Amino acid sequence: MDSEVLEFDIGLGGGSSGRDGDEDAMDISHHVDEEDMVDSPLPVTWGGSGEIYLPEGDLLDLEPYEGMEFESEEAAKAFYNSYARRVGFSTRVSSSRRSRRDGAIIQRQFVCAKEGFRNLNEKRTKDREIKRPRTITRVGCKASLSVKMQDSGKWVVSGFVKEHNHELVPPDQVHCLRSHRQISGPAKTLIDTLQAAGMGPRRIMSALIKEYGGISKVGFTEVDCRNYMRNNRQRSLEGEFQLLLDYLKQMQAENPNFFYAVQGDEDQSTGNVFWADPKARTNYTYFGDTVTFDTTYRSNRYRLPFAPFTGVNHHGQPVLFGCAFLINESEASFVWLFKTWLMAMSGRPPVSITTDHDAVIRSAINQVFPETRHRFCKWHIFKKCQEKLSHVFLQHPHFEAEFHKCVNLTESIEEFESCWLSLVDKYELRDHEWLQTIYAARRQWVPVYLRDTFFAEMSITQRSDSMNSYFDGYVNASTNLNQFFKLYEKALESRNEKEVKADYDTMNTSPVLKTPSPMERQASELYTRKLFMRFQEELVGTLTFMASKADDDGEIITYQVSKYGEDHKAYCVKFNVLEMKASCSCQMFEFSGLPCRHVLTVFRVTNVLTLPSHYMLKRWTRNAKSSVMLEERSNDAYTNYLESHTVRYNTLRHEAFKFVDQGAKSLDCYNVAVDALQEAAKKVAVAAKNDGKTTMGNGRIRGNSASDANRANSVSGNHHASSNQHLSEDDMDKKIRELNNELNFASRKFEVTGSAPITQKLASSVNSH
């Protein structure tokens, strides 16, 4: 054939090109390697027919030879690839020659995928930074097959090099080679059918392996199947994206408070979308202290690019704060989403946020919510553990229980660290890469590091109720975008009805009380039903605990709280008697917003009969969604707080210290203090002899006259006093002795300044009463 040709080298320079062309041929290189696109199978159609050419009959066992003829270029390519599969190597097209007359291809060269060498073309790489270096796969192999087009239209082998300079792949691994990873038409049909039924790539591959009789006969890998399914979903979403926008526009037209936003131009075929209806935005004002961003629908669970923002309402039920469809899941996309969501929620960031373990999401949260405590979902990490450590689970049946115990039941950071090291050493996992990764992130998922922050969970060891549950039972693996909105609206309606039912039960039914404690009755009237039941568990739990005083500095008393007979496992409770606040080493109140049994045990032994207002978080009460505050009950709580003998004693002692310091500053102050103390002592003596005839209840004085009330208030300073217990004369004598000791302390102090006689006079005045 007399023609001028152009030659295109699709391989990379440096190896044998197989060219025997003209001096004026053009050489164009294209940087493609077998492993550069390892996650994508080759297309299964060659030429324009849309059909795969498969050699038949004797061609299946033939070895190429010069002069061998084929009906078409596609037939030659298919034959050489089939031969390569039998032998154990992968092929690619190296060069082509086209006719200058009509541009038709007249020569092809197919080579071993390991032909040539990488990056020897300096012109190609000098201006391009290689961000992710690839594995070196090219070793200069010379194996090739060249074919030319004849005048008859047939293609003939013009050159064949059989020898390879590398090891060939055994038959059971050939399906991993790129040129042999082909998804056939029947396989595509089966994948489409199973995907529509909601099956994931792993289960689909299992079905294909069973259908074809082995992975090597399937002809492609699970990664290829996953990518094919992803492309299917992408094409489907592109077609349904306009439906999503139309729905959101309609909702906003019906209610201007309906919020939605699209990243980029709405005219694009796809893009990230966020929306929040008015109820979701209102819910956030009540319960937006802790948020869960649930991305599991887009990954292994439902494979929808759907991610709701949820929280927990006053009944412990999941509540919605908005939804997103994420087509693009880059860091920039998450930053846009979080900023958009924050704008829809009036710019108030949450105290805490829980997400899946994802480095991209973590980076975006750090940028948008720098002050918010970010936690990885522990439950998802446990699920991932079953996958990453499946071999350990099989070999060591007790490992899972020990792992859970190490994470959930350790009481301090030191205990967790020690337990973790013992665990990884025991099972020889110190060098396990995934375990090292989650250990490095332990401060974001191990409870002992997170207990100082509010996450609205009733138990440190439980899985968050909000995670993965709001749309459960509505959205499933076979849900497409076209079906989604009907199911979405059904889920909203169902969740709203459950909240209404919980409100009704709280307001119209009374729980069964299990103790005679006024605190239990008080809690039953304040908390919602579910929260009260959880509080009741803690209150009843105090019956098995005892508290012993470990330290007392006048303002803060430290107690060791433990179960009977378990002194070795004690919790430390610090009780500030002036502020009515107790903090426990278990940090349950900080984490869940409910007082723990250890704090309640201290309240029991110190006779604090009702729950101080500090422990009644409005978000857990039946008034959580109203503007009514708990102020009318706060004074009662403070009054009832003074019912405790221990609290009264410590409060009086604290006031006495301040009285002595002020009264001894000068002679005039001293004289006033002595007169006031003598008068007060007389009044206290009268009150003790009356044996409670002038008592207080619910913060109100019950006595013979208004003057009695005024005098009582003057004794208690700025506090509202309340007492259902009456002091005996012995108790009064004890208090005076305590006060006398404090005055003696002041006497010793004034001996340094020469004021001892005055102080002794004050002390003797007290003794006379």
Side-chain angles (χ1 to χ4, degrees), residues 65 258 303 595 646 660:
Y65 58 87
F258 186 96
R303 295 172 296 282
T646 302
V660 171

Side-chain angles (χ1 to χ4, degrees), residues 551-558 575 650 653-654 657:
D551 188 34
D552 183 356
D553 66 2
E555 290 188 19
I556 296 178
I557 308 175
T558 302
F575 183 27
N650 283 282
R653 186 174 66 170
H654 183 75
F657 270 123

Side-chain angles (χ1 to χ4, degrees), residues 652-666:
L652 282 173
R653 186 174 66 170
H654 183 75
E655 293 298 321
F657 270 123
K658 292 193 295 183
F659 182 81
V660 171
D661 285 340
Q662 291 292 323
K665 283 185 175 180
S666 67

Side-chain angles (χ1 to χ4, degrees), residues 6-192:
L6 282 175
E7 184 177 81
F8 295 85
D9 183 4
I10 302 182
L12 289 181
S16 172
S17 66
R19 288 191 307 228
D20 57 354
D22 309 87
E23 291 296 326
D24 61 348
M26 184 178 295
D27 182 3
I28 299 178
S29 298
H30 180 54
H31 188 110
V32 175
D33 194 10
E34 180 185 19
E35 272 68 32
D36 283 354
M37 299 178 63
V38 70
D39 289 341
S40 301
L42 284 180
V44 298
T45 57
W46 298 319
S49 65
E51 298 294 330
I52 301 174
Y53 175 85
L54 295 176
E56 298 178 358
D58 295 339
L59 290 180
L60 286 172
D61 301 320
L62 281 178
E63 184 177 278
Y65 58 87
E66 289 192 20
M68 190 175 190
E69 288 190 347
F70 299 94
E71 292 296 323
S72 66
E73 173 204 346
E74 289 80 9
K77 180 178 181 181
F79 170 76
Y80 189 59
N81 202 52
S82 176
Y83 163 75
R85 185 181 181 91
R86 287 201 318 271
V87 174
F89 67 96
S90 184
T91 66
R92 60 184 173 85
V93 178
S94 174
S95 62
S96 305
R97 293 168 67 90
R98 293 181 180 270
S99 169
R100 289 188 183 273
R101 193 164 45 206
D102 58 9
I105 295 174
I106 59 174
Q107 184 175 337
R108 284 280 199 194
Q109 184 185 39
F110 311 112
V111 298
C112 173
K114 293 182 179 289
E115 180 266 353
F117 295 96
R118 173 175 293 170
N119 291 338
L120 295 184
N121 190 330
E122 295 182 2
K123 182 179 179 181
R124 174 178 171 76
T125 59
K126 68 179 181 180
D127 297 326
R128 183 172 62 91
E129 179 185 357
I130 300 176
K131 296 181 179 179
R132 188 176 61 172
R134 304 284 185 172
T135 304
I136 300 299
T137 59
R138 302 204 178 179
V139 295
C141 182
K142 303 293 186 181
S144 66
L145 179 76
S146 300
V147 291
K148 287 185 177 181
M149 186 178 180
Q150 303 299 301
D151 292 336
S152 63
K154 292 187 177 182
W155 289 73
V156 64
V157 175
S158 59
F160 172 59
V161 179
K162 176 180 179 180
E163 293 74 19
H164 296 262
N165 67 348
H166 55 87
E167 291 186 7
L168 300 176
V169 174
D172 62 343
Q173 299 176 15
V174 169
H175 66 281
C176 296
L177 294 171
R178 174 165 161 71
S179 71
H180 306 306
R181 289 163 55 185
Q182 302 161 5
I183 303 180
S184 65
K188 285 183 177 180
T189 301
L190 183 56
I191 293 174
D192 293 344

Side-chain angles (χ1 to χ4, degrees), residues 261-319:
V262 180
Q263 187 177 19
D265 190 352
E266 288 191 21
D267 295 333
Q268 295 176 350
S269 59
T270 57
N272 295 323
V273 182
F274 168 77
W275 74 94
D277 61 32
K279 183 174 177 58
R281 302 176 74 181
T282 302
N283 280 335
Y284 187 79
T285 63
Y286 303 129
F287 310 115
D289 40 18
T290 185
V291 175
T292 293
F293 179 55
D294 185 358
T295 55
T296 56
Y297 293 91
R298 70 184 170 93
S299 56
N300 61 337
R301 187 175 175 88
Y302 297 130
R303 295 172 296 282
L304 267 176
F306 172 58
F309 292 85
T310 60
V312 180
N313 69 7
H314 51 322
H315 300 292
Q317 300 168 332
V319 61

